[in-house]
């Protein structure tokens, strides 16, 4: 029982354990800048990276976001030196590392699969990288314990990986990756094997630690919510190319391509007529965020930009489906003109299949594709 | 007499070694097989019977089966023990055992000690081949050339289907060349033995390779600054410990029981020496066959122990507290 209680404590309240000065935080990490220049990677004639260009500033947290097979993991593995590209240059801290083997690149990496060494305890796992750097045993142990403290697992140092939960294993893997004070931290979908609650906790903790250490971090994920929550910038990838790179707000507000609009957040695409930099959608004339010549355009609406209209205003629509999500409800509708729309609204308004409603747009301006 | 130690050896209860294939190989490779020592898998039958009580046979049936199997194994061994205890003038004593250690008989038994020496040297060399050639090759195939896994498996299991006689016919000209190049020492047999132990060693190591995520462990170690040497010695070897140990022990058991190849290539090992001494003094030959059986049995016990110890450490993973 007591063990269980401690486990729960460590999972839910790591902050209580990591307050005060931590030697790893005090010594600081000098994050390095990272750049990809025209990086090409092929697998058996199939091109998975089409001349990737990406610049990451020192200390920045950049997510590579995209569906599976978009090349995001390949890009990370090229940066790690686990794959050798067919062309292009990868620089870390301004130095070309294209021909530097993985073990000499001074990186920390957390993998999607549990990657702790099963024959070593948590603290021995954390000491591994220091041992490779010829750090003395006693010093390595102190530093490893400090790193474990940073992830809230100081008291679990003597456990073998098999005796730790999935979330705890990934925390130890994070401590192991950070303890050597690497120039870049690489996260290859480290949260995807965890259950929802632990995933959110660890996600926020990774960001908190990253900010404290100011370490350059590349985070690969297919989960847009994860990427939006923690990143300084997000690079949305599709088919081996970066579709758009920007802050989470930029991507959400001004998706550059239909793919980004669809992948980041849930967008509805509405046909409209542009005239003088404005477009009329469901009876409301709103300014367009980008210049478009007069004529037909397609505008993007987020679920939160659509609301129920009062007193016979707005556009008539029929409810297709309404999902209760706790604090709110998300409803799919079809307008009389046949346009599919997603709407997010108060959970009090209980809509059901077949209901006829009227909707309007509640945005200051419109994103166009 | 010659194939005596052979039979007990490959029928381990070890995970990953197909007992059927192993014993089939044993009978194929050693035509002079006599009934074997009680195998560990036989000894474990009652325990598994208790765990899966619902589908196990009735208790009485279990004991009958155990009894019959036990008798088949025990009668020849008991007869061997009885034989070695017979005194020259009738009755029983330990005279044959003491004679073995009597300095006066040193010349008579010299081939046995030489053969034993040769067999141990061969065991060590064969284990070295398994650990330093086969295991790294298998790791390399897993990491770099996964497509070669099936061909490698086929190649490694092939010796099971080749009788020792056939192997020798093929090897004879090669050993002529080996003899000219590095001499005709007993240890050169290890090249042939390295081939005969391939199926057993491959199975033991592959089972272990399948149980761990070699790629992720390797990449994690590389990202932490480990060179290939460190990856092999500090990360993969400890996690392949059970497989490597099983492969080594089973190789030792196979090598110590090998007769055909050594005999036909005119090299002296334990089994050929036993065969020679058997003609002059059958008592000593049987005593040594018994000792060899005991040694093989202890090896198997050790394999079982190694597996259990590793299983104990891998306790059940904890679920994520929610």
């Amino acid at each position: 029982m007591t063990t269980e209680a401690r486990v729960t404590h460590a999972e839910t309240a790591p902050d209580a354990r990591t307050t005060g000065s931590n030697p790893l935080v005090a010594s600081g990490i000098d994050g390095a800048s990272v750049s990809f220049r025209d990086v090409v990677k092929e697998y058996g004639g199939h091109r998975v990276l089409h001349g990737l260009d990406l610049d990451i500033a020192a200390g920045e947290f950049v997510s590579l976001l995209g569906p599976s097979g978009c090349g995001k993991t390949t890009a990370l593995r090229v940066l790690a030196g686990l794959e050798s590209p067919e062309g292009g240059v990868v620089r870390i801290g301004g130095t070309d590392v294209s021909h530097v083997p993985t073990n000499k690149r001074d990186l920390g990496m957390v993998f999607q699969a549990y990657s702790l060494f099963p024959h070593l305890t948590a603290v021995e796992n954390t000491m591994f990288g220091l041992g490779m750097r010829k750090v003395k045993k006693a010093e390595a142990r102190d530093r490893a314990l400090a790193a474990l403290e940073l992830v809230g697992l100081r008291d679990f140092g003597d456990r073998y990986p098999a005796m730790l939960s999935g979330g705890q294993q990934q925390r130890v893997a994070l401590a192991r990756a950070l303890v050597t004070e690497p120039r870049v931290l690489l996260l290859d979908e480290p949260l995807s094997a965890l259950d929802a609650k632990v995933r959110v906790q660890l996600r926020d903790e990774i960001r908190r630690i990253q900010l404290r250490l100011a370490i350059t971090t590349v985070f690969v994920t297919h989960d847009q919510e994860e990427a939006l929550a923690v990143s300084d910038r997000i690079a949305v990838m599709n088919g081996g190319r970066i579709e758009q790179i920007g802050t989470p707000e930029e991507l959400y507000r001004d998706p550059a391509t239909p793919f980004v609009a669809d992948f980041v957040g849930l967008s509805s695409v509405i046909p409209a007529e542009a005239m003088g930099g404005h477009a009329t959608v469901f009876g409301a004339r709103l300014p367009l965020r980008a210049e478009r010549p007069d004529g037909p355009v397609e505008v993007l609406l987020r679920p939160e930009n659509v609301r129920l209209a009062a007193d016979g205003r707005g556009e008539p629509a029929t409810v297709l489906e309404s999902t209760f999500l706790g604090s709110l409800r998300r409803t799919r509708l079809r307008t009389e003109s046949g346009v599919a729309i997603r709407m997010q609204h108060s959970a009090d308004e209980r809509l059901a299949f077949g209901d006829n409603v009227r909707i309007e747009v509640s945005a200051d301006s419109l994103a166009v594709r | 007499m010659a194939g005596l130690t052979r039979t007990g050896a490959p029928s381990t209860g070890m995970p990953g070694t197909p007992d059927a294939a192993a014993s089939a190989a044993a009978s194929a490779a050693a035509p002079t097989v006599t009934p074997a020592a009680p195998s560990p898998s036989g000894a474990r039958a009652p325990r598994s019977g208790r765990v899966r009580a619902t589908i196990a046979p009735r208790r009485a049936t279990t004991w009958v089966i155990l009894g019959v199997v036990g008798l088949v194994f025990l009668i020849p061994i008991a007869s061997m023990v009885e034989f070695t205890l017979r005194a020259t003038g009738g009755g029983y004593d330990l005279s044959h055992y003491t004679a073995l250690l009597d300095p006066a008989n040193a010349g008579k038994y010299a081939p046995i000690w030489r053969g034993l020496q040769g067999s141990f040297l061969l065991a060590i060399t064969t284990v070295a081949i398994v650990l330093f050639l086969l295991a790294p090759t298998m790791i390399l195939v897993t990491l770099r050339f996964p497509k070669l896994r099936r061909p490698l498996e086929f190649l490694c299991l092939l010796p099971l289907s080749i009788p020792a006689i056939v192997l020798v016919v093929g090897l004879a000209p090669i050993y002529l060349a080996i003899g000219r190049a590095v001499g005709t020492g007993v240890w050169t047999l290890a090249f042939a033995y390295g081939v005969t132990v391939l199926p057993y060693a491959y199975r033991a190591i592959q089972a272990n390779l399948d149980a761990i995520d070699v790629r992720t462990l390797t990449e994690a170690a590389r990202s932490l600054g480990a060179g290939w040497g460190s990856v092999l010695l500090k990360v993969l070897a400890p996690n392949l410990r059970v497989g490597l140990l099983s492969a080594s022990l089973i190789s030792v058991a196979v090598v110590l029981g090998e007769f055909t190849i050594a005999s036909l290539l005119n090299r002296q090992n334990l089994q050929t020496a036993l065969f020679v001494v058997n003609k002059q003094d059958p008592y000593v030959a049987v005593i040594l066959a018994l000792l060899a059986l005991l040694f093989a049995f202890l090896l198997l016990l050790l394999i079982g122990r190694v597996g259990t110890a590793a299983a104990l450490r891998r306790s059940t993973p904890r679920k994520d507290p929610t």
Side-chain angles (χ1 to χ4, degrees):
Chain A
M1 277 320 278
T2 49
T3 346
E4 277 309 312
R6 276 166 63 203
V7 169
T8 312
H9 176 64
E11 288 281 5
T12 53
D15 291 82
R17 288 158 177 269
T18 53
T19 46
S21 71
N22 183 298
L24 188 57
V25 176
S27 70
I29 289 176
D30 293 324
S33 64
V34 169
S35 87
F36 291 81
R37 275 288 161 275
D38 201 25
V39 173
V40 173
K41 175 69 195 168
E42 290 176 353
Y43 287 114
H46 177 64
R47 188 163 283 205
V48 284
L49 288 181
H50 298 265
L52 183 75
D53 283 311
L54 176 61
D55 285 293
I56 300 170
E60 199 179 14
F61 192 124
V62 170
S63 294
L64 302 181
L65 174 66
S68 58
C70 72
K72 58 190 192 301
T73 294
T74 308
L76 190 82
R77 291 173 61 84
V78 166
L79 175 55
L82 296 169
E83 306 285 353
S84 45
E86 268 71 41
V89 177
V90 178
R91 290 196 181 82
I92 298 177
T95 318
D96 182 358
V97 294
S98 301
H99 301 287
V100 177
T102 303
N103 56 329
K104 304 266 191 252
R105 289 200 184 186
D106 194 15
L107 307 165
M109 192 159 177
V110 181
F111 296 82
Q112 178 175 11
Y114 299 137
S115 63
L116 294 185
F117 306 132
H119 66 294
L120 299 177
T121 62
V123 71
E124 286 165 350
N125 260 287
T126 315
M127 287 164 65
F128 186 88
L130 297 172
M132 290 298 126
R133 286 163 177 76
K134 308 269 183 271
V135 176
K136 290 205 177 64
K137 262 252 163 80
E139 188 200 335
R141 200 179 165 79
D142 288 344
R143 283 171 66 180
L145 285 172
L148 285 174
E149 185 178 311
L150 195 66
V151 298
L153 287 178
R154 195 188 168 95
D155 297 339
F156 292 71
D158 294 331
R159 296 229 183 146
Y160 283 97
M163 297 152 80
L164 297 171
S165 72
Q168 288 169 338
Q169 286 190 49
Q170 290 302 64
R171 277 166 201 270
V172 175
L174 182 64
R176 183 178 69 173
L178 288 171
V179 73
T180 56
E181 300 177 13
R183 294 187 295 170
V184 183
L185 177 63
L186 307 179
L187 306 170
D188 184 5
E189 306 210 24
L191 307 173
S192 57
L194 307 177
D195 58 46
K197 196 172 173 184
V198 180
R199 191 156 65 216
V200 171
Q201 281 169 8
L202 191 50
R203 176 193 83 191
D204 296 343
E205 215 177 319
I206 286 173
R207 175 57 161 166
R208 181 179 58 77
I209 291 169
Q210 187 268 337
L211 286 172
R212 279 177 87 185
L213 299 176
I215 182 171
T216 313
T217 303
V218 185
F219 179 55
V220 163
T221 181
H222 61 264
D223 184 336
Q224 49 108 1
E225 197 186 317
E226 245 169 55
L228 290 173
V230 296
S231 314
D232 288 321
R233 284 193 300 155
I234 299 172
V236 182
M237 293 184 68
N238 184 31
R241 292 187 175 82
I242 292 182
E243 292 258 339
Q244 187 180 5
I245 180 158
T247 64
E249 291 80 5
E250 284 168 5
L251 288 184
Y252 195 80
R253 284 173 49 92
D254 289 312
T257 66
F259 177 81
V260 176
D262 188 52
F263 201 80
V264 181
L266 299 159
S267 284
S268 308
V269 181
I270 320 285
E273 250 343 276
M275 198 184 285
H278 285 65
T280 305
V281 180
F282 306 153
R285 190 162 181 274
L286 296 164
L288 297 174
R289 275 190 223 134
E291 292 285 325
R292 285 290 185 282
D294 290 354
V297 287
E298 287 182 319
V299 299
L300 302 167
L301 283 183
R302 298 288 180 191
E304 61 271 27
N305 295 143
V306 183
R307 68 178 172 210
L308 291 170
D311 336 317
R313 282 186 294 134
E315 179 89 355
T318 313
V319 174
L320 297 176
E321 178 188 47
S322 184
T323 314
F324 178 62
L325 297 171
S327 58
L328 52 88
R329 231 170 215 289
R330 199 165 277 164
T331 302
R332 272 195 322 123
L333 309 128
R334 188 177 297 281
T335 65
E336 274 184 354
S337 50
V339 179
I341 292 204
R342 284 199 182 85
M343 174 175 67
Q344 185 170 303
H345 55 96
S346 158
D348 300 334
E349 295 167 274
R350 288 185 201 164
L351 300 181
F353 174 76
D355 285 359
N356 288 312
V357 294
R358 296 182 85 86
I359 53 169
E360 62 184 1
V361 179
S362 65
D364 299 332
S365 56
L366 296 167
V368 277
R369 61 190 261 186
Chain B
M1 273 309 118
L4 258 180
T5 52
R6 183 73 203 229
T7 44
S11 60
T12 62
M14 191 185 59
T17 307
D19 287 358
S23 47
S27 48
T32 50
V33 162
T34 40
S39 77
S41 40
R44 277 194 208 125
R47 202 200 300 167
S48 57
R50 216 184 309 147
V51 174
R52 307 186 303 161
T54 45
I55 49 166
R58 282 166 200 276
R59 185 165 282 261
T61 324
T62 312
W63 282 110
V64 169
I65 294 171
L66 264 186
V68 171
V69 173
L71 279 180
V72 168
F73 285 130
L74 279 180
I75 288 174
I77 295 175
S79 323
M80 285 165 77
V81 174
E82 190 265 345
F83 180 66
T84 60
L85 292 174
R86 280 184 205 166
T88 338
Y92 294 100
D93 61 18
L94 287 172
S95 58
H96 298 302
Y97 285 84
T98 49
L100 187 64
L101 300 171
D102 189 347
N105 294 330
K108 190 167 137 199
Y109 300 138
I112 285 180
W113 303 126
R114 268 205 308 278
L116 201 62
Q117 236 176 2
S119 278
F120 273 116
L121 187 66
L122 277 170
I124 291 167
T125 322
T126 309
V127 166
I129 290 175
V130 166
L131 291 185
F132 300 117
L133 197 64
L134 178 64
T137 306
M138 291 175 67
I139 291 170
L140 190 71
V141 165
T142 309
L143 285 176
R144 282 283 167 83
F145 311 104
K147 278 184 188 157
L148 288 181
R149 192 190 146 165
R150 291 296 158 202
L152 180 71
E153 181 173 16
F154 176 75
L155 201 69
C156 287
L157 296 184
L158 204 58
L160 279 182
S161 58
I162 302 177
I165 290 271
V166 176
L167 203 61
V168 168
V169 171
L171 282 174
I174 296 170
Y175 266 88
L176 271 179
I178 291 176
R180 271 188 235 112
V182 294
T184 54
V186 181
W187 68 271
T188 53
L189 269 184
F191 299 136
Y193 289 177
V195 174
T196 52
V197 302
L198 268 183
Y200 315 106
Y202 176 87
R203 275 281 163 211
I205 297 173
Q206 189 61 47
N208 204 160
L209 275 175
D210 289 342
I212 64 171
D213 189 346
V214 182
R215 178 172 291 272
T216 304
L217 291 184
T218 304
E219 288 178 352
R222 296 280 293 159
S223 76
L224 290 167
W228 284 111
S230 297
V231 169
L232 280 178
L233 293 177
K234 294 193 171 160
V235 176
L236 294 183
N239 287 299
L240 292 173
R241 199 179 58 107
V242 176
L244 293 177
L245 251 170
S246 309
S248 304
L249 294 180
I250 209 158
S251 301
V252 169
V254 169
V255 169
L256 290 188
E258 211 290 323
F259 172 78
T260 326
I261 297 175
S263 167
L264 293 173
L265 287 176
N266 289 319
R267 305 286 199 288
Q268 283 247 315
N269 72 3
L270 178 65
Q271 298 298 333
T272 58
L274 279 180
F275 184 72
V276 169
V277 172
N278 185 37
K279 287 179 186 160
Q280 312 167 17
D281 187 344
Y283 294 105
V284 168
V286 175
I287 288 174
L288 283 165
L290 272 175
L291 290 180
L293 253 183
L294 188 73
F295 181 72
F297 185 69
L298 288 177
L299 271 188
L300 292 177
L301 220 62
L302 205 63
I303 295 176
R305 271 293 164 83
V306 167
T308 325
L312 275 181
R313 217 173 53 178
R314 275 185 241 116
S315 83
T316 39
R318 212 171 285 261
K319 262 202 72 182
D320 267 316
T322 42

